[in-house]
Amino acid sequence: MSLTKVELQPLIPEKKLNLHSYLPRNVHVPALPEGISILTIINCLIKPSSQGYNLMKERIEVDFIDEENRPLKQVFYLDTGMVNFAKFVDNILGEVPIEEFDPHILVGIKIKAFIFHNYLSNGKGYANIAACELYKQNQSESETR
């Protein structure tokens, strides 16, 4: 006779959420719409950032404008977000440079980016880049999909 271990999960009554009660009263939608946008990198700098009492972090700020001159800023923190910045650079250049990298060389590059919105509990919305690739102007829309 063999015994098998069966884990019993306690029965928890189903809980339903009223999502409307979680929405902020005043939602501020970002200027840049969600979806695919063509963005041009206009600035890329490494800056110190104060993170509380005597704590400094470096961050990379990448500024973009879209085809209608609407701005977007994407921030990468060097201590926690360097992997994300490396992925961002890899998506644009097709590789992560082995030697030291000057982020300023990205200025002027156009990318095709998928934008999504996030909202803070106070209703302030901000746009983020979910994914991107180098924009090739002579490529037709069907080839880039």
Side-chain angles (χ1 to χ4, degrees):
M1 174 181 205
S2 69
L3 298 174
T4 57
K5 182 178 176 183
V6 177
E7 292 184 33
L8 295 176
Q9 298 290 327
L11 291 176
I12 300 173
E14 269 189 44
K15 184 175 181 180
K16 296 184 181 184
L17 300 173
N18 178 353
L19 294 179
H20 228 307
S21 67
Y22 292 101
L23 294 176
R25 299 218 184 276
N26 296 317
V27 175
H28 305 284
V29 178
L32 203 62
E34 285 188 309
I36 295 175
S37 291
I38 305 303
L39 303 174
T40 303
I41 299 172
I42 58 170
N43 201 6
C44 192
L45 295 172
I46 299 174
K47 289 182 152 184
S49 172
S50 177
Q51 296 287 318
Y53 184 72
N54 282 342
L55 180 62
M56 293 296 286
K57 284 176 146 180
E58 282 189 311
R59 65 186 192 181
I60 300 171
E61 292 183 0
V62 184
D63 294 306
F64 305 87
I65 61 170
D66 73 352
E67 293 176 313
E68 296 177 23
N69 287 329
R70 293 177 290 204
L72 171 70
K73 181 184 293 283
Q74 189 81 42
V75 176
F76 302 92
Y77 287 95
L78 287 182
D79 64 341
T80 58
M82 199 58 191
V83 172
N84 290 340
F85 185 70
K87 183 174 179 355
F88 174 73
V89 170
D90 183 48
N91 288 340
I92 295 171
L93 301 180
E95 65 181 358
V96 176
I98 296 171
E99 65 280 347
E100 288 190 6
F101 178 73
D102 178 5
H104 191 72
I105 68 165
L106 298 174
V107 172
I109 291 178
K110 283 189 176 200
I111 64 170
K112 180 177 156 183
F114 182 77
I115 306 296
F116 72 99
H117 292 169
N118 276 332
Y119 294 93
L120 301 176
S121 60
N122 65 4
K124 180 173 173 30
Y126 57 97
N128 269 323
I129 297 174
C132 68
E133 62 185 32
L134 183 63
Y135 176 68
K136 297 176 182 142
Q137 225 163 355
N138 60 353
Q139 252 184 338
S140 71
E141 194 62 33
S142 63
E143 289 177 314
T144 58
R145 288 186 187 184

